[in-house]
Amino acid sequence: MGYLLALESSCDESAAAVIEMETGRPAASVVYSQIDLHRRYGGVVPEIASRDHLRRMPGVVEEAMQQAAIGWDSIEVVAATRGPGLATSLLVGWTMAKGIAAALGVPVVGVNHLVGHLASLGLSPDMPDDSMSLPDPLTSCGPTVILLVSGGHTALVLNQGLHDRRLLGQTIDDAAGEAYDKVAKILELGYPGGPIVDRLAQAGNPEAFRLPRSFLDGSTPDEHRYNFSFSGLKTAVLYQVRRDPERFLSGGETSTAVRDLCASFQAAVVDVLVRKLLRAADAQGVGWIGAAGGVSLNHGLRAELQHQAAAQGKRLLLAPASVCTDNALMIGLAGRTQFLCEGAAHDQGDVDPGWSL
Ligand code: KG4
Ligand code: ZN
């Protein structure tokens, strides 16, 4: 039986995965995170990232092949992220994928990282049975509005399978994950901020501070109906802290004020994301909704999505935690669909750091 080998190196995770072509079954997934190298800089440093990908990728690929317990002669397609992301990070995985494919004499497929995040929903426990073996598993749900929320992107996508997707709206400034990371920076809580702010928010009062919710009320211009903006919210948090630095910057994680501000920030983000997602689903007459990307790990977001989906009779797709943040399994799933639906050319050009959905 043939397998697909997938590589991901768009940001600061070096990852490889193996998928059985016929069934779509994951056979291996290995993710090496560089986060400890970047933490002290408060963000990803591109040169450090690409050098570490060069160091780690060969071992990560070798480990995935061992986990899958197959030989190189079983690989019939190689897929890798070709964009969007950091150019010098993308180059490592994409060049390696092309090299492996050339050595094996098999095709190589260049995958859009954002389509990979959408494909991760194929692993949701709520997917219809037996859909994974379809060439495009997401077609089995019918039309689905998906909220894509990561460190670099925030978008609403109308998806009728990976190869019939339409961008409904996106952020006009910060991505949701970026806003989390910046708020954590303002509060001097560490990096990456999402998981920290999420944890503190669970111990705070979400009504303690009144924070703005952009593009949500009746005065929103029509062109921004499905767009997002988080920079005003981030600035509102900054002004709260500047007004009384002692109150927010002296107690760290144990401070009630910090927990309350995190909870109020999270409530504003979740409110906007969930209401816009459901509004779009209703307007499109769609019964399925989903959320993918690193921020879809957020406890407040997951709880509100589950609550609203049940209340409004929508079916909800959420990926398992292991494939919400960057990984190669999602790239493999998207690559498999791409290969089965469109085939592959041996040379698909260079990396594309600005590749949109
Ligand atoms: O999808 P991802 O791994 O990378 C991109 O493609 O951008 O997402 C990373 C982002 C970071 O901004 C991180 O802070 C955020 O996801 N994140 C979270 C949580 N876990 C990760 N944001 C909110 N709550 C979380 N629990
Ligand atoms: Zn990502």
Side-chain angles (χ1 to χ4, degrees):
M1 187 163 343
Y3 291 82
L4 175 147
L5 170 68
L7 273 54
E8 152 67 31
S9 70
S10 65
C11 189
D12 62 340
E13 267 89 20
S14 310
V18 177
I19 292 172
E20 208 173 67
M21 279 306 278
E22 194 181 322
T23 61
R25 182 187 68 86
S29 179
V30 178
V31 181
Y32 170 81
S33 172
Q34 306 177 350
I35 198 69
D36 289 336
L37 296 180
H38 302 287
R39 195 169 274 124
R40 82 186 79 154
Y41 303 102
V44 176
V45 182
E47 184 173 343
I48 294 177
S50 55
R51 286 177 187 272
D52 207 48
H53 283 309
L54 268 177
R55 247 191 312 269
R56 300 288 174 181
M57 265 318 228
V60 165
V61 170
E62 202 60 53
E63 198 180 327
M65 291 296 288
Q66 277 168 16
Q67 214 179 76
I70 56 167
W72 286 105
D73 55 351
S74 301
I75 299 296
E76 61 181 39
V77 189
V78 181
T81 309
R82 199 164 69 78
L86 298 169
T88 48
S89 286
L90 289 164
L91 270 169
V92 178
W94 179 236
T95 309
M96 194 171 167
K98 282 184 153 188
I100 293 173
L104 297 176
V106 301
V108 59
V109 179
V111 176
N112 182 307
H113 180 86
L114 305 175
V115 176
H117 275 299
L118 300 179
S120 71
L121 292 179
L123 297 171
S124 164
D126 298 308
M127 278 289 283
D129 287 345
D130 300 330
S131 46
M132 281 313 280
S133 60
L134 296 174
D136 188 348
L138 289 177
T139 52
S140 64
C141 306
T144 307
V145 179
I146 302 174
L147 173 69
L148 173 55
V149 266
S150 71
H153 297 85
T154 296
L156 279 174
V157 184
L158 176 62
N159 201 78
Q160 315 214 37
L162 283 186
H163 285 80
D164 182 1
R165 53 174 201 273
R166 182 152 65 86
L167 184 66
L168 297 174
Q170 59 190 329
T171 182
I172 61 160
D173 42 54
D174 293 345
E178 195 179 353
Y180 266 94
D181 295 336
K182 286 177 176 170
V183 161
K185 203 166 195 171
I186 292 167
L187 289 167
E188 300 175 359
L189 294 171
Y191 174 85
I196 306 170
V197 172
D198 185 8
R199 178 164 44 81
L200 296 179
Q202 289 173 65
N205 172 9
E207 285 164 15
F209 299 93
R210 280 179 63 83
L211 296 173
R213 284 137 168 86
S214 295
F215 297 156
L216 207 52
D217 62 19
S219 66
T220 302
D222 207 43
E223 80 252 33
H224 289 315
R225 199 162 23 129
Y226 299 134
N227 285 344
F228 301 93
S229 165
F230 293 108
S231 77
L233 173 59
K234 174 196 66 190
T235 307
V237 169
L238 179 67
Y239 285 167
Q240 282 289 349
V241 176
R242 277 203 186 146
R243 219 171 285 144
D244 194 352
E246 185 65 17
R247 184 173 171 216
F248 292 101
L249 301 178
S250 56
E253 295 197 7
T254 56
S255 148
T256 305
V258 168
R259 291 175 178 188
D260 286 350
L261 191 51
C262 287
S264 302
F265 165 76
Q266 180 149 306
V269 174
V270 169
D271 202 15
V272 172
L273 294 177
V274 175
R275 280 163 69 181
K276 291 232 170 196
L277 170 60
L278 283 156
R279 217 178 259 179
D282 278 341
Q284 304 290 330
V286 162
W288 286 80
I289 56 172
V295 182
S296 73
L297 277 176
N298 185 268
H299 288 83
L301 178 61
R302 285 199 167 220
E304 185 62 12
L305 282 171
Q306 272 150 355
H307 174 72
Q308 292 298 339
Q312 302 190 27
K314 305 280 187 209
R315 306 276 302 268
L316 173 64
L317 296 175
L318 289 172
S322 59
V323 288
C324 287
T325 48
D326 290 349
N327 65 90
L329 203 46
M330 67 183 197
I331 301 303
L333 294 173
R336 174 179 174 272
T337 292
Q338 198 168 313
F339 181 72
L340 293 177
C341 296
E342 297 172 3
H346 269 268
D347 182 4
Q348 298 187 40
D350 202 353
V351 296
D352 187 352
W355 198 359
S356 57
L357 248 178

